[in-house]
Amino acid sequence: MGGAARPAGGPSATAIAGPRREDRSHGSLSTAWAIWSDTGSAWTLALSVVRALVAEGARVTAAARKVTPRLAELGDAVTQVAVDLTTPAGADLLAAQAGPTDILVNNLGGVTDDSMRSQGFLAIPDESWQRTFELNLFSAVRVTRALLPGLLERRGVVITISSIGARAAFQPVDYGTAKAALTNLSKALAEEFGARGLRALTVSLGPTRTRNWADEDGYAGQLARANGATLDEFLAEVPARMGITTGRLTEPAETAALVAFLA
C-alpha cells in the first residue's frame, strides 16, 4: 500500500495507494486542473510548481490572497483566485471557481511571525497556536474536503506539502506539531480512499531556498542573529549541522519537478 523516500535535507515523498496516471478514466494530465494555495515564504515554491505543472500541460487554478502578475505571465493555462484559505468560506469559494479537479496541491503554510519570535513552548499563547493550525492544517482540511468528491470521481491525487519538522522537534513547536498533523492527514486520506482510486502523497521539505531561508527577515535570518552570525555564515553551516548529503539547500525548482512527477 505505501512507500517512502527521503533524501537528506531535500523533499521527501510518501506515496500510498492509487492508480497510475494512465489509468485515469477521464484522460491525461493535459486535461487536469491543479489547485495551488500559497502565502508568504511559500510563494517562490508555489510559482515554481505552477510553472512545472503548466509545462506538463496542466491547467492550473492558483489560490492566493492577491492576484499576481507573475502568474498572469503564464497565460490562459492559469486561473487566479484571490481568496483567504485560512477562513472557512475560502475553501468553498476556491472549489466553486475550480470545478472538477484531477490534482490538488496543498501548499499553504509557514511559520507565523509571532511564533518565530517566541522563546519556546511557554511563550506561545493559544492565539498563536490557533493561527498556526489555521494556516498549516485547517486550510488543507477544508480545501481537500471541498474538492474530494470530484477528485474521487476522476481518480485524482492530493499532494500535500509538509516539512521534516513533522518528524523532528525543531522550534517553534506549534509549527512542527501542525505539520505532523498535516502529514497524518495525508496518510489517513490514502488509507480511507485509496481503494476508490485516490492517491494521497506527502512531500516533506527540508531547508529550501525560499524567503524563510534566504531572507534576512525570515526564519533562518532570525536563527542566525540568535547565534551571533550573519545569514551567509549560518547557511554555510546548515548542511553539516543537519546532515544534508548534497551539502546545500534544496532549490524550489527541484521540489517542483518532484511534485510534477508525482502528479
Side-chain angles (χ1 to χ4, degrees):
M1 286 292 288
R6 188 175 62 180
S12 70
T14 303
I16 308 174
R20 293 177 298 175
R21 181 181 301 163
E22 59 266 32
D23 293 332
R24 295 179 184 169
S25 60
H26 63 275
S28 67
L29 184 61
S30 63
T31 62
W33 278 90
I35 311 302
W36 192 269
S37 53
D38 71 272
T39 189
S41 64
W43 172 243
T44 303
L45 177 59
L47 182 61
S48 295
V49 173
V50 171
R51 285 173 171 165
L53 291 174
V54 169
E56 292 289 336
R59 292 173 293 139
V60 178
T61 300
R65 291 178 178 174
K66 296 180 180 179
V67 172
T68 171
R70 298 184 70 182
L71 282 180
E73 294 172 359
L74 297 176
D76 295 339
V78 178
T79 299
Q80 297 189 64
V81 181
V83 62
D84 183 357
L85 292 178
T86 64
T87 65
D92 292 335
L93 176 59
L94 175 57
Q97 292 284 328
T101 302
D102 298 295
I103 305 163
L104 168 62
V105 182
N106 286 314
N107 178 60
L108 184 62
V111 179
T112 63
D113 290 340
D114 49 353
S115 293
M116 190 181 298
R117 294 190 298 266
S118 70
Q119 300 298 313
F121 172 74
L122 292 176
I124 304 176
D126 286 356
E127 294 79 6
S128 295
W129 280 89
Q130 188 66 43
R131 280 191 290 271
T132 294
F133 270 71
E134 288 288 354
L135 181 63
N136 290 282
L137 177 63
F138 294 131
S139 59
V141 169
R142 295 176 185 127
V143 171
T144 303
R145 185 168 56 209
L147 292 170
L148 189 58
L151 285 161
L152 289 172
E153 180 181 345
R154 299 166 75 86
R155 298 175 68 83
V157 57
V158 178
I159 301 174
T160 297
I161 307 299
S162 187
S163 167
I164 61 171
R167 300 180 176 88
F170 299 134
Q171 293 293 333
V173 62
D174 56 334
Y175 174 76
T177 304
K179 289 302 187 184
L182 185 66
T183 298
N184 187 272
L185 169 66
S186 184
K187 182 172 183 179
L189 290 170
E191 293 289 348
E192 182 172 351
F193 298 106
R196 296 174 61 180
L198 182 77
R199 290 184 298 131
L201 306 100
T202 304
V203 175
S204 296
L205 300 184
T208 304
R209 203 174 298 279
T210 61
R211 193 183 73 182
N212 254 351
W213 285 90
D215 194 304
E216 292 283 354
D217 295 325
Y219 176 68
Q222 294 209 22
L223 289 178
R225 287 190 292 275
N227 285 275
T230 67
L231 178 59
D232 288 343
E233 291 170 342
F234 178 79
L235 291 180
E237 296 178 355
V238 165
R241 287 184 175 185
M242 298 188 68
I244 300 175
T245 55
T246 59
R248 60 175 177 82
L249 273 63
T250 300
E251 298 295 333
E254 294 173 314
T255 301
L258 175 60
V259 172
F261 171 77
L262 294 173

